[in-house]
Amino acid sequence: MDKFIIKGGRPLVGEITVSGAKNAAVAIIPAVILSDEPCVLENVPDISDVSISLKILHEMGADVETINASTFRIDPRGINNYCVPYESARKMRASYYFLGALLGKFGQARVSMPGGCPLGDRPIDQHLKAFTALGADCNIDHGMVDVSGKLVGNQIYLDVVSVGATMNAMLASVKAIGLTVLENAAKEPHIVDLANFLNSMGADIMGAGTDVIKIRGVGKLRSTNYSIIPDQIEAGTYMVAAAATGGDVLIKNIIPKHLEPISAKLEKIGVNVQEFDDSIRVWVDGPLVKSNVKTMPHPGFPTDMQPQIATLLTLAEGTSIVTEGVWEQRFRYVDELRRMGADISVDGKVAVIEGTGELMGAPVKACDLRAGAALIIAGLAAYGITEIEDIYHIERGYENMDLKLQGLGAEISKKSFQEEVDIIKEAL
Ligand code: EPU
């Protein structure tokens, strides 16, 4: 119910620090279940998907201790429940990682089947294919996915390159008997991070980051202290925000290698990008020019940056074509951008953007996480006031986005639903 109010038209200038990666954290937190001892996780982002994951662990019997805002000690030894109920699972699609982690540890799991999704069809057939290949029985019954069995390593070929199925196959096979060879695996940075985390507990995983991952099952996983990688997409979002506002921003706590597809595309659009060891400077000193973008699994241009880069292209000179190569429907935000003056037509998975060079503030609604981030970028670049509704989508995956942007000089504030009610009451 809360809103962001943005007064746009101000270049972002200064330094900003990126938090831990959402899509690594939502897999690594359930992965702690596999340990036989407590684990400490550092650089955990303060976002609602993380709070939900930690709450699920707590509800299942784990002891979750907050050491500071980004560090948690999790003791999984008290887990006595293998079921993630609908109420928790419906709030976060990534709750499907509890399937792989519980199955890998206890040989059984029951998790609510993920429901509808704004990005289009989101099956989990490849997750279930992997579990079945390892010897599990998989059933979908009254909205719940039940998996159980004694797992034995096997050859698994994913028919679709899937981040979630790759991670779930790793989670399920890490303690299975013998060798699992996972082919056509996804290669995103968070896949490598999950493998590094599991290996730091004593797992034997090789090849993460390539399309063949070999997992030799081990009997026991031990305690670890592990720091989650920085969020590639949060960093990319601030890179685009800097470019869209004609700003000059140093983005800190990043891994430049993870940002290469984004940096390369920004340079084509006319944005300056300078890499340092663990930071990246983005600034603009000339016109933005059209470019075509096609999203693909890593190391291609990430789909989770598609709405943000499309927003930038509305400000560039010329006609750009953006093709979505991962999700069925990732252009639902376009209607909102049109309200802000963007000239975009969509046909299936292809959007044609006529750069208008400017956007104007308007009341808009975030329909999902990255769509919300794109609307924030649009609001920062537009002249006038933009009010973004349904910001709970944004808070799922961006830590304190309003405060971080304020640090760069942005005029953005959060208006709570209660404040609005009070204003209306006063006016009556
Ligand atoms: N797919 C199948 N069958 C499956 C699994 C996936 O057909 O069993 C298809 C999907 O329908 C989609 C494609 O494969 O067309 C890729 O899906 P993938 O499984 O890779 O996506 P995911 O694991 O569900 C993660 C991220 C998404 C990100 C995608 C692609 C998490 C929690 N989510 O989703 O992140 O877009 O990978 O990189 O890691 C976001 O952060 O905003 C977000 C949506």
Side-chain angles (χ1 to χ4, degrees):
M1 293 291 196
D2 294 352
K3 283 181 184 175
F4 281 139
I5 318 283
I6 303 173
K7 186 168 177 213
R10 222 175 211 247
L12 298 180
V13 178
E15 297 183 358
I16 191 165
T17 302
V18 166
S19 304
K22 167 181 95 78
N23 289 345
V26 295
I28 288 175
I29 292 169
V32 173
I33 292 172
L34 290 155
S35 174
D36 297 298
E37 294 169 356
C39 294
V40 174
L41 298 181
E42 296 167 9
N43 204 33
V44 179
D46 184 4
I47 53 176
S48 61
D49 271 10
V50 159
S51 318
I52 295 166
S53 306
L54 292 172
K55 184 164 173 277
I56 293 174
L57 272 186
H58 172 73
E59 284 169 357
M60 289 194 310
D63 183 45
V64 180
E65 186 191 340
T66 306
I67 295 179
N68 61 46
S70 62
T71 308
F72 296 86
R73 180 181 179 277
I74 303 168
D75 184 346
R77 288 175 294 188
I79 291 179
N80 53 12
N81 172 357
Y82 315 130
C83 176
V84 179
Y86 176 70
E87 262 321 298
S88 307
R90 79 182 171 89
K91 296 188 184 125
M92 187 188 64
R93 291 197 72 82
S95 51
Y96 51 48
Y97 290 129
F98 284 90
L99 272 176
L102 289 166
L103 178 64
K105 177 71 175 268
F106 302 109
Q108 57 177 307
R110 185 171 161 80
V111 177
S112 170
M113 177 77 182
C117 170
L119 308 181
D121 200 17
R122 241 176 136 167
I124 58 163
D125 57 306
Q126 298 303 306
H127 304 233
L128 301 184
K129 178 181 176 179
F131 298 151
T132 306
L134 294 169
D137 283 329
C138 303
N139 292 299
I140 298 173
D141 182 31
H142 296 288
M144 299 298 285
V145 187
D146 273 301
V147 290
S148 61
K150 188 164 173 52
L151 305 187
V152 179
N154 200 351
Q155 185 122 356
I156 305 169
Y157 183 88
L158 297 179
D159 306 321
V160 182
V161 180
S162 159
V163 169
T166 301
M167 304 254 229
N168 249 339
M170 280 162 58
L171 293 169
S173 59
V174 75
K175 297 186 85 179
I177 298 162
L179 180 69
T180 296
V181 179
L182 181 61
E183 291 183 81
N184 202 25
K187 299 183 281 229
E188 271 66 6
H190 27 291
I191 307 274
V192 180
D193 207 36
L194 176 63
N196 288 342
F197 169 68
L198 293 169
N199 283 342
S200 76
M201 294 199 291
D204 183 357
I205 303 176
M206 282 175 61
T210 75
D211 52 13
V212 181
I213 304 179
K214 293 187 178 163
I215 306 134
R216 193 169 288 282
V218 295
K220 201 171 154 54
L221 293 174
R222 55 176 186 269
S223 165
T224 185
N225 261 44
Y226 190 81
S227 181
I228 291 172
I229 51 165
D231 197 305
Q232 172 204 26
I233 305 300
E234 187 195 11
T237 300
Y238 293 130
M239 290 169 80
V240 173
T245 59
D248 186 346
V249 175
L250 183 71
I251 300 157
K252 302 198 299 190
N253 186 36
I254 55 110
I255 298 175
K257 181 92 192 138
H258 293 171
L259 299 176
E260 273 172 9
I262 303 165
S263 305
K265 187 49 70 183
L266 285 177
E267 283 175 334
K268 281 212 160 150
I269 297 173
V271 179
N272 300 301
V273 178
Q274 188 181 9
E275 284 181 7
F276 301 98
D277 286 349
D278 59 359
S279 60
I280 200 158
R281 180 182 163 210
V282 177
W283 76 104
V284 172
D285 55 13
L288 300 176
V289 291
K290 67 180 173 122
S291 184
N292 296 340
V293 179
K294 178 159 193 220
T295 68
M296 278 185 283
H298 191 79
F301 188 88
T303 174
D304 295 340
M305 284 298 300
Q306 185 260 93
Q308 300 90 314
I309 204 86
T311 302
L312 182 66
L313 290 169
T314 66
L315 301 165
E317 287 169 7
T319 307
S320 303
I321 297 175
V322 175
T323 309
E324 174 55 44
V326 177
W327 295 113
E328 283 302 313
Q329 299 167 17
R330 206 167 198 172
F331 287 118
R332 288 181 59 218
Y333 64 91
V334 161
D335 285 337
E336 304 300 306
L337 279 186
R338 285 198 194 111
R339 297 172 58 77
M340 300 180 72
D343 180 351
I344 308 178
S345 53
V346 176
D347 185 4
K349 291 177 150 194
V350 179
V352 178
I353 302 172
E354 302 292 347
T356 52
E358 61 177 21
L359 292 169
M360 57 196 161
V364 288
K365 223 179 210 183
C367 61
D368 66 61
L369 169 61
R370 308 303 171 187
L375 293 175
I376 289 193
I377 293 170
L380 293 169
Y383 63 87
I385 307 283
T386 297
E387 280 197 25
I388 306 177
E389 272 184 50
D390 289 354
I391 63 169
Y392 65 90
H393 287 295
I394 301 169
E395 294 178 336
R396 278 187 42 228
Y398 289 90
E399 177 177 318
N400 294 329
M401 198 170 187
D402 50 340
L403 303 183
K404 288 191 183 188
L405 288 168
Q406 283 168 12
L408 298 175
E411 290 188 64
I412 175 169
S413 57
K414 196 194 292 191
K415 202 200 260 176
S416 73
F417 178 65
Q418 192 52 48
E419 277 174 83
E420 282 219 65
V421 171
D422 292 344
I423 291 167
I424 294 166
K425 273 190 191 156
E426 249 175 57
L428 290 176

